[in-house]
Amino acid sequence: MADTTSTRRRVKLYMLNEERQWDDQGTGHVSSIFVERLKGMSLQVRSETDGTVLLESKIQPDTMYQKQQETLIVWSEAANYDLALSFQEQAGCLEIWRKICQVQGKDPSVDITQDCLIDHGEHDEEFQEDSTIEDAPDAAQEIELPPCELSKLEEIWNIFTESSIQSTPIRKEKLSVAIENSGYIKKLLDLFHMCEDLDNMEGLHHLYEIFKNIFLLNRNELFEIMFSEETIFDVIGVLEHQPSSPQPSQHRTYLKETAKFKQVVPMTNKELLNKIHQTYRVQYIQDVILPTPSVFEENHLSSLTSFIFFNKVEIVSMIQEDEKFLSSLFTQLTSDDTEEAVRRDLVLFLKEFCTFSQTLQQDSRESFFKTLSSFGVLSAIEVILGLDDPQIKSAAIDIFSYIVEFSPSTVREFIMKEGQKQDDDDLLVNLVIDQMINDPDPVAELGGALQLMGVLKLLIDPENMIATSNVSLNAYYFNKTEKSEFLVFFYKHSMHVLTAPLYANTSEGRLSKDDFQSAQLQSLILELLTFCIEHHTFHIKNYIISKDLLRRVLLLLKSRHRFLALCALRFMRKIVGIKDDFYYRYIIKGSLFKPIVEAFLENGTRYNLFNSAIIELFEFIKMEDIKSLCAHIVETHMKELESVNYVSTFNSLKMRYEQQQDGLKDKLFDSTSVLRNHRYRRDARTLEEEEEMWFDEDDETEDLDSMVPVSDVLRSSLDADFDHINRYIGSRKVNKDQSRESPPRLFNNRSTCININLRNNSPNTSPVGSPATSPTGSPTIPCPTPNTSPITPSEKALAAKRAGLVGLVDYPDEDSDEEEEDSETPTAKRPRLAT
């Protein structure tokens, strides 16, 4: 069945290009569904290859659809934007055609849903014969408008109707030029006055259609004419006589009598006043008078939207340049003598002023907010937030949001400066926090506590405190300083205000209040604190540990409002996810998994979000192999959790713990074996090899027979070298005597003193190559006095190597051995000297 439906709705999508040729846009499956973005029933085509959307076209009540050859539907979205759906099966084409006719209220038996104003038969030929369209009517031909007379109104209506939506851009352009050059709008308005005086309803209905099509021409030059001070009310009067309405509307009466322009501060600039009036009236035309967007496509009225946009830009610029006006505005706003009603109007005007500024470009907005800051807008907001009027507070919050969103650094700078002069209770940021936690309706859309929470996030977000890559180094360090200084300031002066409701509600080890409003406010506080954990690693960690904040938060697990309990659990999960040992030690020391385990067991076997969130927390600890928390949970809470067998999380956690314990035992056994079997005792043979390598370091190997006596200079040099070694060895021996408990056995005592006397006339020495022997038969080398000459690099390297070798075991017979060794004459290696 699914395959049959899929085949029935399989289509190829075609689009008419600029050369009037049909381009294949892809193959997919079509459906008629409601699209939220388009706010209506739409035709949607999804690609059969990757599922991407090839087409989303809203079915408009006045769009002309054509059904051709039983498998083809063709229509125009706009001028030169024609589309076609070619169905694989006739049944699919008929099904979609019925949906289109149902939306438009037409009979499905027809092949064209609207009256054809312009012959589109060429589309059939283009699609069937794959040929280009015939040339449009002569583009160079000028349009001649008939005389503006009552008898010609129907003819004028026909011309304007044919030249509106279905006409080519060139024809629209020429019609606009003809209307502008001939002053046709004013002539038509003269006819309107005649028809209104004569109560000629048919003529008034024709004029309505004519002006509706003038709007659809989408020409800014025509809007300038229609919206001038002299003509705008006449245009509004024409639009009051809609043919489908049984009685004409009263828009002019409303604008002239009901809608009143209130000047909270007198304006002396006449141009500014006229621009404000014009913008309000044009906005009224667009929002109230003109038909709904389903008839008036947004792209058909883009110039009207642009007209309003640029008017707002001009209004903001002119007010911004009027320093006298702004000075008077802020003076009255902050004055104690200002009446509450006047202050309310001033705040609402300032809010509207800031709303207009959102249409400005980046540079213009920056200049705008700098101007407001120079007049003390933040100080004014501080005063307003201290009032009791909810409407004024709401407007002040909106103004504050605009400023923070555009330039949070400006607000931070203001807050830190006022912190040097004011108490914590009077700080702007604390007033904002106080307003958030005391909001009577914390979930109000686009206002109240939720909006203020977003503003606070922007203020404490380190991401917008860091300089971008294209700024100077000085600016980077300035922003780094701003980041550190403001966070220190916030945690010192404001964090206690933010967490006060949480501490107050959990002061007795349980929840003092658990109503819905309190739960909502505390959930907002927890969301801000969770944001801090993610972005303020150092500051929030110190605050949580020093204030034992996590213990208070986990008390909220007992709330009857599950969303609040989930917020508390998310707070804990964020802390665990940071992977910080300080947090882990704090959790273990405070046994802070106990309330989580209790809440989990109290929830029982209910399969809900709370249950899944707790299991995910334990699963995360297992998967990330957080050893300290794993050991704590198994050793402290496994008796309560081992009965939970509908998931493998806790059994796996226990197995992971046992594996860790086995690994620790193996490591301990290996360390004991090393201490027992591996004594760090130097072998005499190894020592002799190192000494011989030192002697041979820079010498070439030669036979003893080839050696010759050394000159006096060389003898004195060698004496000095050996003296250095003996001095080093002597110092090592002194150190060993001073610290017996850790004796480094660097040398065999039989070779701890080396001296080679190379003087041939010495009575105690033998010639070179024949070392003297002791009575025991060992060569005797007397020790000289230490020399104070500098130690050579070779000696330093050797000393460094030997200094790192420390014996692991101290032998009990070391002292007696040393006494014997001291009495013996040390053996000496025969020096090998090269010429």
Side-chain angles (χ1 to χ4, degrees), residues 9-31:
R9 293 192 176 185
R10 188 168 184 264
V11 297
K12 273 187 174 294
L13 174 64
Y14 293 89
M15 182 181 296
L16 195 66
N17 61 25
E18 296 179 356
E19 289 77 30
R20 311 301 292 171
Q21 299 288 339
W22 289 101
D23 291 336
D24 186 355
Q25 302 297 310
T27 304
H29 298 87
V30 65
S31 58

PDB file of all heavy atoms in Angstrom, residues 9-31:
ATOM      1  N   ARG A   9       2.116   9.532  -6.024  1.00  0.00           N
ATOM      2  CA  ARG A   9       2.482  10.929  -5.789  1.00  0.00           C
ATOM      3  C   ARG A   9       3.891  11.259  -6.280  1.00  0.00           C
ATOM      4  O   ARG A   9       4.435  12.290  -5.930  1.00  0.00           O
ATOM      5  CB  ARG A   9       2.385  11.239  -4.298  1.00  0.00           C
ATOM      6  CG  ARG A   9       0.956  11.187  -3.782  1.00  0.00           C
ATOM      7  CD  ARG A   9       0.855  11.783  -2.404  1.00  0.00           C
ATOM      8  NE  ARG A   9      -0.530  11.837  -1.935  1.00  0.00           N
ATOM      9  CZ  ARG A   9      -0.912  12.402  -0.803  1.00  0.00           C
ATOM     10  NH1 ARG A   9       0.008  12.949  -0.014  1.00  0.00           N
ATOM     11  NH2 ARG A   9      -2.172  12.423  -0.442  1.00  0.00           N
ATOM     12  N   ARG A  10       4.472  10.392  -7.059  1.00  0.00           N
ATOM     13  CA  ARG A  10       5.807  10.648  -7.598  1.00  0.00           C
ATOM     14  C   ARG A  10       5.695  11.661  -8.739  1.00  0.00           C
ATOM     15  O   ARG A  10       4.889  11.497  -9.661  1.00  0.00           O
ATOM     16  CB  ARG A  10       6.440   9.351  -8.095  1.00  0.00           C
ATOM     17  CG  ARG A  10       7.896   9.478  -8.502  1.00  0.00           C
ATOM     18  CD  ARG A  10       8.500   8.102  -8.698  1.00  0.00           C
ATOM     19  NE  ARG A  10       9.925   8.192  -9.003  1.00  0.00           N
ATOM     20  CZ  ARG A  10      10.425   8.171 -10.234  1.00  0.00           C
ATOM     21  NH1 ARG A  10       9.616   8.053 -11.279  1.00  0.00           N
ATOM     22  NH2 ARG A  10      11.729   8.258 -10.440  1.00  0.00           N
ATOM     23  N   VAL A  11       6.508  12.734  -8.649  1.00  0.00           N
ATOM     24  CA  VAL A  11       6.405  13.823  -9.615  1.00  0.00           C
ATOM     25  C   VAL A  11       7.797  14.284 -10.033  1.00  0.00           C
ATOM     26  O   VAL A  11       8.791  14.027  -9.347  1.00  0.00           O
ATOM     27  CB  VAL A  11       5.637  15.030  -9.029  1.00  0.00           C
ATOM     28  CG1 VAL A  11       4.211  14.676  -8.705  1.00  0.00           C
ATOM     29  CG2 VAL A  11       6.355  15.590  -7.810  1.00  0.00           C
ATOM     30  N   LYS A  12       7.802  14.971 -11.179  1.00  0.00           N
ATOM     31  CA  LYS A  12       8.965  15.757 -11.578  1.00  0.00           C
ATOM     32  C   LYS A  12       8.603  17.232 -11.458  1.00  0.00           C
ATOM     33  O   LYS A  12       7.517  17.640 -11.865  1.00  0.00           O
ATOM     34  CB  LYS A  12       9.382  15.441 -13.023  1.00  0.00           C
ATOM     35  CG  LYS A  12      10.337  14.273 -13.166  1.00  0.00           C
ATOM     36  CD  LYS A  12      10.827  14.154 -14.597  1.00  0.00           C
ATOM     37  CE  LYS A  12      11.898  13.081 -14.724  1.00  0.00           C
ATOM     38  NZ  LYS A  12      13.122  13.416 -14.002  1.00  0.00           N
ATOM     39  N   LEU A  13       9.525  18.008 -10.877  1.00  0.00           N
ATOM     40  CA  LEU A  13       9.296  19.438 -10.681  1.00  0.00           C
ATOM     41  C   LEU A  13      10.044  20.207 -11.764  1.00  0.00           C
ATOM     42  O   LEU A  13      11.245  19.984 -11.976  1.00  0.00           O
ATOM     43  CB  LEU A  13       9.784  19.872  -9.298  1.00  0.00           C
ATOM     44  CG  LEU A  13       9.731  21.375  -8.995  1.00  0.00           C
ATOM     45  CD1 LEU A  13       8.290  21.875  -8.986  1.00  0.00           C
ATOM     46  CD2 LEU A  13      10.416  21.672  -7.664  1.00  0.00           C
ATOM     47  N   TYR A  14       9.318  21.115 -12.443  1.00  0.00           N
ATOM     48  CA  TYR A  14       9.915  21.949 -13.487  1.00  0.00           C
ATOM     49  C   TYR A  14       9.740  23.419 -13.137  1.00  0.00           C
ATOM     50  O   TYR A  14       8.756  23.815 -12.511  1.00  0.00           O
ATOM     51  CB  TYR A  14       9.258  21.675 -14.847  1.00  0.00           C
ATOM     52  CG  TYR A  14       9.528  20.296 -15.394  1.00  0.00           C
ATOM     53  CD1 TYR A  14       8.677  19.244 -15.081  1.00  0.00           C
ATOM     54  CD2 TYR A  14      10.624  20.055 -16.212  1.00  0.00           C
ATOM     55  CE1 TYR A  14       8.920  17.973 -15.585  1.00  0.00           C
ATOM     56  CE2 TYR A  14      10.869  18.793 -16.718  1.00  0.00           C
ATOM     57  CZ  TYR A  14      10.014  17.751 -16.399  1.00  0.00           C
ATOM     58  OH  TYR A  14      10.255  16.491 -16.884  1.00  0.00           O
ATOM     59  N   MET A  15      10.710  24.230 -13.589  1.00  0.00           N
ATOM     60  CA  MET A  15      10.652  25.677 -13.388  1.00  0.00           C
ATOM     61  C   MET A  15      11.006  26.355 -14.699  1.00  0.00           C
ATOM     62  O   MET A  15      11.941  25.942 -15.398  1.00  0.00           O
ATOM     63  CB  MET A  15      11.614  26.117 -12.290  1.00  0.00           C
ATOM     64  CG  MET A  15      11.574  27.622 -11.999  1.00  0.00           C
ATOM     65  SD  MET A  15      12.761  28.096 -10.715  1.00  0.00           S
ATOM     66  CE  MET A  15      12.102  27.215  -9.314  1.00  0.00           C
ATOM     67  N   LEU A  16      10.264  27.422 -15.017  1.00  0.00           N
ATOM     68  CA  LEU A  16      10.508  28.160 -16.250  1.00  0.00           C
ATOM     69  C   LEU A  16      11.649  29.146 -16.023  1.00  0.00           C
ATOM     70  O   LEU A  16      11.598  29.986 -15.127  1.00  0.00           O
ATOM     71  CB  LEU A  16       9.236  28.909 -16.669  1.00  0.00           C
ATOM     72  CG  LEU A  16       9.205  29.441 -18.114  1.00  0.00           C
ATOM     73  CD1 LEU A  16       9.194  28.296 -19.110  1.00  0.00           C
ATOM     74  CD2 LEU A  16       7.980  30.330 -18.311  1.00  0.00           C
ATOM     75  N   ASN A  17      12.724  29.022 -16.805  1.00  0.00           N
ATOM     76  CA  ASN A  17      13.891  29.873 -16.617  1.00  0.00           C
ATOM     77  C   ASN A  17      13.747  31.186 -17.376  1.00  0.00           C
ATOM     78  O   ASN A  17      12.716  31.464 -17.996  1.00  0.00           O
ATOM     79  CB  ASN A  17      15.171  29.137 -17.013  1.00  0.00           C
ATOM     80  CG  ASN A  17      15.162  28.727 -18.481  1.00  0.00           C
ATOM     81  OD1 ASN A  17      14.483  29.343 -19.306  1.00  0.00           O
ATOM     82  ND2 ASN A  17      15.903  27.692 -18.819  1.00  0.00           N
ATOM     83  N   GLU A  18      14.794  32.021 -17.305  1.00  0.00           N
ATOM     84  CA  GLU A  18      14.747  33.336 -17.946  1.00  0.00           C
ATOM     85  C   GLU A  18      14.670  33.245 -19.450  1.00  0.00           C
ATOM     86  O   GLU A  18      14.175  34.166 -20.116  1.00  0.00           O
ATOM     87  CB  GLU A  18      15.989  34.147 -17.538  1.00  0.00           C
ATOM     88  CG  GLU A  18      16.037  34.461 -16.054  1.00  0.00           C
ATOM     89  CD  GLU A  18      17.289  35.239 -15.675  1.00  0.00           C
ATOM     90  OE1 GLU A  18      18.141  35.449 -16.571  1.00  0.00           O
ATOM     91  OE2 GLU A  18      17.397  35.632 -14.503  1.00  0.00           O
ATOM     92  N   GLU A  19      15.164  32.157 -20.008  1.00  0.00           N
ATOM     93  CA  GLU A  19      15.073  31.967 -21.473  1.00  0.00           C
ATOM     94  C   GLU A  19      13.753  31.330 -21.876  1.00  0.00           C
ATOM     95  O   GLU A  19      13.597  30.898 -23.022  1.00  0.00           O
ATOM     96  CB  GLU A  19      16.226  31.093 -21.973  1.00  0.00           C
ATOM     97  CG  GLU A  19      17.598  31.755 -21.938  1.00  0.00           C
ATOM     98  CD  GLU A  19      18.181  31.808 -20.543  1.00  0.00           C
ATOM     99  OE1 GLU A  19      17.865  30.901 -19.738  1.00  0.00           O
ATOM    100  OE2 GLU A  19      18.918  32.770 -20.251  1.00  0.00           O
ATOM    101  N   ARG A  20      12.818  31.251 -20.926  1.00  0.00           N
ATOM    102  CA  ARG A  20      11.491  30.682 -21.154  1.00  0.00           C
ATOM    103  C   ARG A  20      11.585  29.211 -21.528  1.00  0.00           C
ATOM    104  O   ARG A  20      10.808  28.694 -22.327  1.00  0.00           O
ATOM    105  CB  ARG A  20      10.732  31.458 -22.235  1.00  0.00           C
ATOM    106  CG  ARG A  20      10.711  32.966 -22.068  1.00  0.00           C
ATOM    107  CD  ARG A  20      10.093  33.380 -20.762  1.00  0.00           C
ATOM    108  NE  ARG A  20       8.668  33.092 -20.690  1.00  0.00           N
ATOM    109  CZ  ARG A  20       7.928  33.205 -19.598  1.00  0.00           C
ATOM    110  NH1 ARG A  20       8.491  33.604 -18.469  1.00  0.00           N
ATOM    111  NH2 ARG A  20       6.636  32.924 -19.616  1.00  0.00           N
ATOM    112  N   GLN A  21      12.532  28.507 -20.910  1.00  0.00           N
ATOM    113  CA  GLN A  21      12.663  27.069 -21.076  1.00  0.00           C
ATOM    114  C   GLN A  21      12.366  26.394 -19.735  1.00  0.00           C
ATOM    115  O   GLN A  21      12.660  26.936 -18.672  1.00  0.00           O
ATOM    116  CB  GLN A  21      14.097  26.707 -21.522  1.00  0.00           C
ATOM    117  CG  GLN A  21      14.518  27.308 -22.856  1.00  0.00           C
ATOM    118  CD  GLN A  21      13.827  26.644 -24.035  1.00  0.00           C
ATOM    119  OE1 GLN A  21      13.341  25.532 -23.932  1.00  0.00           O
ATOM    120  NE2 GLN A  21      13.771  27.348 -25.160  1.00  0.00           N
ATOM    121  N   TRP A  22      11.813  25.170 -19.810  1.00  0.00           N
ATOM    122  CA  TRP A  22      11.496  24.444 -18.584  1.00  0.00           C
ATOM    123  C   TRP A  22      12.727  23.682 -18.102  1.00  0.00           C
ATOM    124  O   TRP A  22      13.273  22.858 -18.816  1.00  0.00           O
ATOM    125  CB  TRP A  22      10.343  23.461 -18.812  1.00  0.00           C
ATOM    126  CG  TRP A  22       9.024  24.131 -18.998  1.00  0.00           C
ATOM    127  CD1 TRP A  22       8.374  24.361 -20.173  1.00  0.00           C
ATOM    128  CD2 TRP A  22       8.197  24.669 -17.973  1.00  0.00           C
ATOM    129  NE1 TRP A  22       7.189  25.006 -19.951  1.00  0.00           N
ATOM    130  CE2 TRP A  22       7.046  25.209 -18.594  1.00  0.00           C
ATOM    131  CE3 TRP A  22       8.294  24.760 -16.592  1.00  0.00           C
ATOM    132  CZ2 TRP A  22       6.016  25.812 -17.892  1.00  0.00           C
ATOM    133  CZ3 TRP A  22       7.265  25.355 -15.882  1.00  0.00           C
ATOM    134  CH2 TRP A  22       6.147  25.877 -16.529  1.00  0.00           C
ATOM    135  N   ASP A  23      13.150  23.972 -16.850  1.00  0.00           N
ATOM    136  CA  ASP A  23      14.293  23.289 -16.245  1.00  0.00           C
ATOM    137  C   ASP A  23      13.810  22.236 -15.262  1.00  0.00           C
ATOM    138  O   ASP A  23      12.938  22.504 -14.431  1.00  0.00           O
ATOM    139  CB  ASP A  23      15.199  24.280 -15.504  1.00  0.00           C
ATOM    140  CG  ASP A  23      15.924  25.211 -16.462  1.00  0.00           C
ATOM    141  OD1 ASP A  23      16.101  24.829 -17.626  1.00  0.00           O
ATOM    142  OD2 ASP A  23      16.307  26.312 -16.019  1.00  0.00           O
ATOM    143  N   ASP A  24      14.401  21.051 -15.351  1.00  0.00           N
ATOM    144  CA  ASP A  24      14.069  19.960 -14.433  1.00  0.00           C
ATOM    145  C   ASP A  24      14.726  20.241 -13.079  1.00  0.00           C
ATOM    146  O   ASP A  24      15.954  20.300 -12.964  1.00  0.00           O
ATOM    147  CB  ASP A  24      14.572  18.633 -15.014  1.00  0.00           C
ATOM    148  CG  ASP A  24      14.136  17.433 -14.176  1.00  0.00           C
ATOM    149  OD1 ASP A  24      13.533  17.639 -13.096  1.00  0.00           O
ATOM    150  OD2 ASP A  24      14.398  16.304 -14.591  1.00  0.00           O
ATOM    151  N   GLN A  25      13.924  20.388 -12.031  1.00  0.00           N
ATOM    152  CA  GLN A  25      14.439  20.684 -10.688  1.00  0.00           C
ATOM    153  C   GLN A  25      14.616  19.440  -9.829  1.00  0.00           C
ATOM    154  O   GLN A  25      15.094  19.534  -8.693  1.00  0.00           O
ATOM    155  CB  GLN A  25      13.492  21.652  -9.967  1.00  0.00           C
ATOM    156  CG  GLN A  25      13.285  22.961 -10.688  1.00  0.00           C
ATOM    157  CD  GLN A  25      14.574  23.748 -10.814  1.00  0.00           C
ATOM    158  OE1 GLN A  25      15.296  23.944  -9.833  1.00  0.00           O
ATOM    159  NE2 GLN A  25      14.889  24.186 -12.019  1.00  0.00           N
ATOM    160  N   GLY A  26      14.210  18.286 -10.342  1.00  0.00           N
ATOM    161  CA  GLY A  26      14.393  17.049  -9.592  1.00  0.00           C
ATOM    162  C   GLY A  26      13.120  16.236  -9.511  1.00  0.00           C
ATOM    163  O   GLY A  26      12.028  16.694  -9.863  1.00  0.00           O
ATOM    164  N   THR A  27      13.277  15.005  -9.042  1.00  0.00           N
ATOM    165  CA  THR A  27      12.156  14.075  -8.897  1.00  0.00           C
ATOM    166  C   THR A  27      11.926  13.807  -7.413  1.00  0.00           C
ATOM    167  O   THR A  27      12.876  13.641  -6.645  1.00  0.00           O
ATOM    168  CB  THR A  27      12.457  12.752  -9.622  1.00  0.00           C
ATOM    169  OG1 THR A  27      12.748  13.035 -10.988  1.00  0.00           O
ATOM    170  CG2 THR A  27      11.270  11.802  -9.545  1.00  0.00           C
ATOM    171  N   GLY A  28      10.659  13.774  -7.032  1.00  0.00           N
ATOM    172  CA  GLY A  28      10.342  13.541  -5.634  1.00  0.00           C
ATOM    173  C   GLY A  28       8.901  13.132  -5.463  1.00  0.00           C
ATOM    174  O   GLY A  28       8.254  12.650  -6.408  1.00  0.00           O
ATOM    175  N   HIS A  29       8.397  13.314  -4.235  1.00  0.00           N
ATOM    176  CA  HIS A  29       7.017  12.955  -3.907  1.00  0.00           C
ATOM    177  C   HIS A  29       6.310  14.187  -3.352  1.00  0.00           C
ATOM    178  O   HIS A  29       6.841  14.864  -2.473  1.00  0.00           O
ATOM    179  CB  HIS A  29       6.991  11.809  -2.895  1.00  0.00           C
ATOM    180  CG  HIS A  29       7.625  10.548  -3.406  1.00  0.00           C
ATOM    181  ND1 HIS A  29       8.968  10.297  -3.286  1.00  0.00           N
ATOM    182  CD2 HIS A  29       7.092   9.490  -4.062  1.00  0.00           C
ATOM    183  CE1 HIS A  29       9.246   9.121  -3.825  1.00  0.00           C
ATOM    184  NE2 HIS A  29       8.125   8.613  -4.309  1.00  0.00           N
ATOM    185  N   VAL A  30       5.112  14.442  -3.864  1.00  0.00           N
ATOM    186  CA  VAL A  30       4.368  15.646  -3.522  1.00  0.00           C
ATOM    187  C   VAL A  30       3.315  15.319  -2.476  1.00  0.00           C
ATOM    188  O   VAL A  30       2.781  14.202  -2.433  1.00  0.00           O
ATOM    189  CB  VAL A  30       3.718  16.269  -4.783  1.00  0.00           C
ATOM    190  CG1 VAL A  30       2.671  15.339  -5.362  1.00  0.00           C
ATOM    191  CG2 VAL A  30       3.113  17.631  -4.462  1.00  0.00           C
ATOM    192  N   SER A  31       3.048  16.310  -1.616  1.00  0.00           N
ATOM    193  CA  SER A  31       1.988  16.171  -0.622  1.00  0.00           C
ATOM    194  C   SER A  31       1.386  17.536  -0.381  1.00  0.00           C
ATOM    195  O   SER A  31       2.016  18.574  -0.619  1.00  0.00           O
ATOM    196  CB  SER A  31       2.531  15.583   0.686  1.00  0.00           C
ATOM    197  OG  SER A  31       3.563  16.401   1.216  1.00  0.00           O
TER     198      SER A  31
END
